Amino acid sequence: DTEVTFSQDYLVKVKAFFGSFYDMVHTIMTFLFSDKYTYGCERKGDDSTFAFRPVLTDAKGTKYFVFEFRRFNLDGSSDITESAAPRFAPGAIRVAKTVGDIIALKQPNGLSADEVTKRRRVVGENRIEMQKPSFLRALKREFSTPFYTYQIFMVYSWIPLWYYYMAFTWGLMVLVGALSVSILQYKNERNLYRLTHIAGDVEVVRDGEKVRTPQDQVVPGDIISVVPGISYCDVVLVESTKLLVDESALTGEANPVGKSPLDPLVSDQEYHDKLHKRSTIFAGTTVTEAENSTAIVTKTSSYTARGELIRDIFSYKRNVFKFDAEVPIVVTILFFQACIGWGLAYSWTGDEFAYGWFYGIYVVAACLPPLLPTVFTVSVGVSDERLARRRVNCTNSESILVAGKVTRAFFDKTGTITKQGLDFLSARGKSSWVEDSKALDQAMSLSFATDNIKLGMACCHTLTRSANGKMIGNPVDRFMFENSRATFDDSENEIKITDGTGREVVVLRHFDFDHHTMTQGVIVKDVDTGRLYAFCKGSGEAIGKICVPETLPSNFDRAIRSSAKAGIYQISLAMKSLEDDIDVANIARGKIECDLSFQGVINFKNLIRDNARDVISHLAEGEIVSTMITGDSVLTGICIAKESGILDNKKQVLVGELEEDSVVWKTEDEIPAELPTGEILHSVQLAMSGAAWRHFVETAFCSCLWSLYTSRQGFYRPERVQIRPHYVDVW
């Protein structure tokens, strides 16, 4: 159905010819000159990507090669059959499978010297091998590009013909341009090289003794002592009194986060660094405070979080746009124009060959400017520096050239469109529950909070206190605790909390936030009465499922939806009494988070940033569609989207939610609705819950609807839409 134009057919043939010639030269050159430090040098075939790497041999005779900073060893293990050829396998070691296996690795003797040597032969040293940047090497690489051959030829052509002043001027421009480009490239390489730098020692348990060893000599499975400083490997905490980590280098989170050891009660659970990030210290982060902390090394070198980040930076490949595809056509047209111009100039001069050649070369230089690529590169470098002055870091400067191709911008809500942090509004107990609760939720007071609500606000969190007395942890927990007017005391190796009413409790056990149940809990003991209580907080939907139905207000669901529509970030709180003889250390979380008594809600407000509406408006003027992605309630997201200008207040919003394995569309007032078709589809706006979106992407029905609703210039046929896990391609 697609008509192939003459230019498209011509482009294919030209690219095929030059591509074949380049592949041949590239294969020979990479085979002769590639080394273990070379990154890239790869070519794409029809169905695969291949590159040449030299095979090296270590001191123990193990053959290996390095590709994208990752070591691949020649697998000579016994599991290879005689008929199977040896193969190179990634040098990775999985120290344990389950949480219990990791905890069991904490042995008094640690690893033996032989075991350390064996593991180092598999994974290599804990460093990322990157050649130290050199300005001379960058300058040589710049002058080795084909276009500089053309530039030097132009300068050489003018010197013998007494046109030396033009040759000098042009040569100076070429030299300045090459120096500028080389300096910019050298600066980028130097910044990336700093990310790979490793320094310092670490205390490790080896053969039953604590010894200090360089950071680049640790291997997976080592038992190390965690002290303040930069972490150069991924480790999991198995013992600690207090540990605070600054993860801003990886996550951008400005505030330090507290870490806690792995919970032995989930020993059967498979360990994953993302699932158990509360106990994982990632490479590249900085430990700010540590007391009696011991950890097990799980990943080193390129397998760490920092290593994966560096590999992503170096392996980034810019998307090929129409601009890139048409460059060969433009260069070819200029080349033929230059040839015609040279011929006309040579024939019209009517003088000797030297004069005809001279004037012809001048015309060629005018048609095909030698400084064209330099201008592009320098302009990108200048743009990069301007962005840096505005505190915008660009890891790949080439992306600046295609910034104009952006058609859709995706925003997080909290901290991006809204201000960092939340403003406390109110806390309201179930005894103050009324039909119209919106006014009470926005009352900005604790006057409607019961004593149990105040105690829950004071203790139901995972906050820790730093050495300077600052509370560290989740921002929502911090705001909740600060507004409870409670005090926090951890001076006697236990956490004592006194709420605003003078009620004192001791925290016996924390339950971290669970992304599956969407809850977080705590077990406390009342100092005066000795009674044990369990508090649990989370979203209204999550808390409603684990509460005794009789304790919930009759209009509970309608009330939380009404608050969400008003843009209120609402947390529900529940509790129950526990038996005095219960085994707090070994009780399962599921037995705590059930049959709870609903206590009330705690309300916060996300205020949008002062410049949010202007930014969205500027993007709209540039025909860039803005979309919000948030982990909060869909209705809360809709409210903020309307305030910021992402959604039009004059258009109807349909909300898609997953019900019984199908996506059901409703209005904001829960009135069932059907997706419009034809011309009226532009009169509505869509919002979807996370569960509905996942179901939407996984079903074939998504192809038809997505192509229908995302096209702004007509309709795409369903068979021309490809759905992928994280993005949608329409061609």
Side-chain angles (χ1 to χ4, degrees):
D1 296 336
T2 303
E3 181 182 356
V4 179
T5 62
F6 172 77
S7 61
Q8 291 173 328
D9 183 60
Y10 172 77
L11 174 61
V12 171
K13 293 180 179 179
V14 171
K15 289 178 64 178
F17 173 77
F18 286 103
S20 300
F21 177 76
Y22 181 80
D23 285 340
M24 180 184 68
V25 176
H26 183 273
T27 301
I28 297 174
M29 299 301 288
T30 52
F31 179 76
L32 294 175
F33 299 107
S34 63
D35 56 40
K36 67 177 182 177
Y37 298 111
T38 304
Y39 192 88
C41 295
E42 60 183 36
R43 292 292 296 158
K44 287 190 175 181
D46 294 335
D47 300 312
S48 62
T49 300
F50 61 90
F52 290 98
R53 292 293 183 271
V55 177
L56 309 174
T57 305
D58 62 15
K60 297 295 183 178
T62 302
K63 295 183 180 298
Y64 70 96
F65 69 86
V66 178
F67 178 67
E68 295 186 355
F69 306 123
R70 184 156 292 176
R71 176 169 170 152
F72 292 79
N73 301 307
L74 183 63
D75 191 351
S77 58
S78 58
D79 61 336
I80 298 180
T81 62
E82 296 181 358
S83 60
R87 65 183 185 275
F88 285 91
I93 294 178
R94 187 177 186 182
V95 297
K97 184 177 181 180
T98 64
V99 171
D101 294 338
I102 293 179
I103 296 176
L105 292 176
K106 187 180 178 299
Q107 299 293 335
N109 294 330
L111 297 178
S112 64
D114 292 339
E115 182 64 23
V116 171
T117 302
K118 180 180 177 181
R119 296 190 179 194
R120 190 175 294 125
R121 288 177 59 189
V122 176
V123 300
E125 295 183 344
N126 180 32
R127 62 184 179 186
I128 296 176
E129 293 190 20
M130 177 182 175
Q131 192 173 26
K132 187 174 182 179
S134 168
F135 172 73
L136 294 179
R137 192 182 302 112
L139 187 63
K140 176 185 175 183
R141 185 169 58 248
E142 180 65 20
F143 273 113
S144 299
T145 56
F147 219 86
Y148 275 98
T149 304
Y150 169 67
Q151 292 175 324
I152 295 173
F153 173 75
M154 286 295 178
V155 175
Y156 174 77
S157 298
W158 287 322
I159 292 177
L161 297 173
W162 297 96
Y163 204 36
Y164 55 87
Y165 52 89
M166 185 63 182
F168 174 78
T169 304
W170 202 285
L172 183 62
M173 294 173 62
V174 170
L175 181 61
V176 172
L179 289 174
S180 301
V181 173
S182 301
I183 291 173
L184 292 173
Q185 291 178 347
Y186 171 69
K187 287 182 178 180
N188 291 335
E189 292 176 359
R190 186 182 58 185
N191 292 334
L192 292 174
Y193 179 76
R194 289 173 180 171
L195 294 177
T196 67
H197 181 66
I198 293 179
D201 298 334
V202 62
E203 190 175 80
V204 184
V205 179
R206 298 269 177 86
D207 291 319
E209 297 182 357
K210 288 187 176 181
V211 297
R212 296 199 67 82
T213 185
Q215 291 276 6
D216 60 0
Q217 296 300 307
V218 299
V219 297
D222 265 331
I223 304 172
I224 68 172
S225 298
V226 182
V227 296
I230 299 176
S231 176
Y232 293 105
C233 52
D234 287 358
V235 301
V236 57
L237 203 61
V238 293
E239 183 181 18
S240 178
T241 303
K242 177 188 291 186
L243 190 74
L244 299 179
V245 180
D246 179 5
E247 295 184 338
S248 58
L250 292 181
T251 64
E253 175 59 45
N255 299 306
V257 296
K259 300 289 184 177
S260 60
L262 288 174
D263 189 352
L265 294 182
V266 294
S267 297
D268 296 334
Q269 193 175 85
E270 185 174 358
Y271 170 78
H272 193 276
D273 53 4
K274 296 295 187 290
L275 180 63
H276 300 92
K277 64 179 181 180
R278 173 77 176 174
S279 303
T280 303
I281 304 174
F282 297 99
T285 60
T286 303
V287 178
T288 57
E289 294 184 26
E291 294 181 7
N292 304 321
S293 301
T294 304
I296 305 294
V297 178
T298 56
K299 296 178 182 178
T300 58
S301 62
S302 66
Y303 292 94
T304 63
R306 186 188 65 156
E308 294 289 356
L309 176 63
I310 294 174
R311 293 181 77 241
D312 288 341
I313 292 174
F314 276 86
S315 62
Y316 171 78
K317 293 180 176 59
R318 184 167 62 87
N319 293 328
V320 178
F321 294 92
K322 186 178 180 181
F323 168 81
D324 303 292
E326 292 181 347
V327 166
I329 296 180
V330 176
V331 173
T332 303
I333 293 174
L334 292 177
F335 173 76
F336 283 113
Q337 182 181 353
C339 291
I340 296 173
W342 183 89
L344 293 176
Y346 179 80
S347 61
W348 288 349
T349 53
D351 294 323
E352 297 181 3
F353 172 80
Y355 290 101
W357 173 269
F358 165 73
Y359 287 112
I361 291 298
Y362 185 83
V363 173
V364 170
C367 294
L368 192 60
L371 290 179
L372 189 60
T374 304
V375 171
F376 279 125
T377 306
V378 172
S379 63
V380 169
V382 173
S383 300
D384 194 4
E385 292 183 354
R386 289 177 178 174
L387 289 173
R389 288 197 294 268
R390 292 177 176 266
R391 303 182 67 183
V392 177
N393 185 29
C394 183
T395 58
N396 192 338
S397 301
E398 290 185 0
S399 302
I400 299 176
L401 289 175
V402 296
K405 296 292 184 179
V406 175
T407 58
R408 186 174 293 270
F410 294 89
F411 293 94
D412 182 28
K413 180 178 72 68
T414 306
T416 304
I417 295 179
T418 63
K419 296 180 180 179
Q420 190 68 37
L422 299 169
D423 290 344
F424 175 77
L425 288 181
S426 65
R428 179 164 55 91
K430 62 180 181 180
S431 59
S432 303
W433 208 271
V434 294
E435 185 68 23
D436 185 11
S437 58
K438 187 184 301 184
L440 296 182
D441 287 339
Q442 297 178 340
M444 299 189 69
S445 76
L446 283 170
S447 58
F448 299 101
T450 62
D451 291 344
N452 287 337
I453 286 284
K454 295 177 181 178
L455 180 59
M457 292 175 61
C459 66
C460 193
H461 52 72
T462 56
L463 298 177
T464 56
R465 189 168 61 176
S466 64
N468 59 7
K470 184 179 179 181
M471 300 304 295
I472 304 298
N474 185 284
V476 176
D477 288 347
R478 291 205 317 271
F479 297 138
M480 180 182 69
F481 177 81
E482 292 168 358
N483 285 278
S484 69
R485 304 187 182 95
T487 59
F488 187 97
D489 182 12
D490 59 351
S491 59
E492 300 179 0
N493 292 329
E494 64 177 6
I495 299 177
K496 288 185 178 181
I497 295 176
T498 305
D499 68 7
T501 64
R503 193 175 176 183
E504 187 178 27
V505 296
V506 176
V507 178
L508 303 180
R509 187 177 174 189
H510 283 120
F511 295 100
D512 294 331
F513 180 78
D514 190 318
H515 290 276
H516 298 288
T517 62
M518 301 297 290
T519 57
Q520 184 267 320
V522 66
I523 299 177
V524 299
K525 179 179 180 179
D526 192 311
V527 174
D528 295 332
T529 63
R531 296 292 306 276
L532 300 181
Y533 300 99
F535 285 89
C536 183
K537 74 176 192 296
S539 65
E541 295 83 356
I543 295 298
K545 294 177 182 178
I546 58 178
C547 283
V548 178
E550 290 75 16
T551 64
L552 294 172
S554 58
N555 65 331
F556 178 70
D557 292 336
R558 185 166 59 255
I560 61 175
R561 288 184 65 89
S562 176
S563 298
K565 287 178 61 177
I568 296 175
Y569 182 87
Q570 192 171 75
I571 296 176
S572 296
L573 183 70
M575 66 170 294
K576 71 176 180 180
S577 299
L578 302 176
E579 299 293 335
D580 295 338
D581 58 349
I582 195 173
D583 187 0
V584 175
N586 296 313
I587 188 172
R589 180 169 184 168
K591 294 184 178 180
I592 295 297
E593 297 182 352
C594 66
D595 300 328
L596 298 172
S597 174
F598 177 75
Q599 297 300 312
V601 294
I602 307 162
N603 302 301
F604 301 88
K605 179 67 175 179
N606 255 155
L607 299 178
I608 67 170
R609 293 182 180 271
D610 297 334
N611 61 343
R613 181 174 286 275
D614 292 337
V615 170
I616 301 300
S617 176
H618 288 322
L619 291 174
E621 291 176 1
E623 297 185 355
I624 298 177
V625 180
S626 299
T627 303
M628 179 190 295
I629 303 175
T630 177
D632 291 346
S633 166
V634 178
L635 296 177
T636 304
I638 292 174
C639 177
I640 299 299
K642 289 183 176 180
E643 291 182 10
S644 61
I646 293 179
L647 292 180
D648 190 345
N649 287 308
K650 299 179 181 179
K651 292 184 179 181
Q652 184 185 31
V653 179
L654 298 183
V655 182
E657 295 183 350
L658 186 63
E659 295 182 6
E660 297 182 357
D661 213 18
S662 63
V663 178
V664 177
W665 296 94
K666 299 179 181 179
T667 65
E668 295 179 75
D669 299 323
E670 290 195 288
I671 300 174
E674 295 290 337
L675 290 178
T677 58
E679 294 296 330
I680 61 174
L681 69 88
H682 297 291
S683 64
V684 300
Q685 303 166 111
L686 302 181
M688 301 181 69
S689 65
W693 171 250
R694 284 191 295 271
H695 176 79
F696 206 56
V697 171
E698 293 170 358
T699 58
F701 187 57
C702 175
S703 300
C704 178
L705 288 182
W706 187 253
S707 63
L708 179 69
Y709 280 89
T710 59
S711 171
R712 306 189 91 201
Q713 299 175 351
F715 294 93
Y716 289 105
R717 294 180 303 172
E719 61 268 22
R720 298 176 66 83
V721 180
Q722 181 178 1
I723 305 301
R724 298 187 181 180
H726 301 292
Y727 57 90
V728 178
D729 281 344
V730 181
W731 70 92

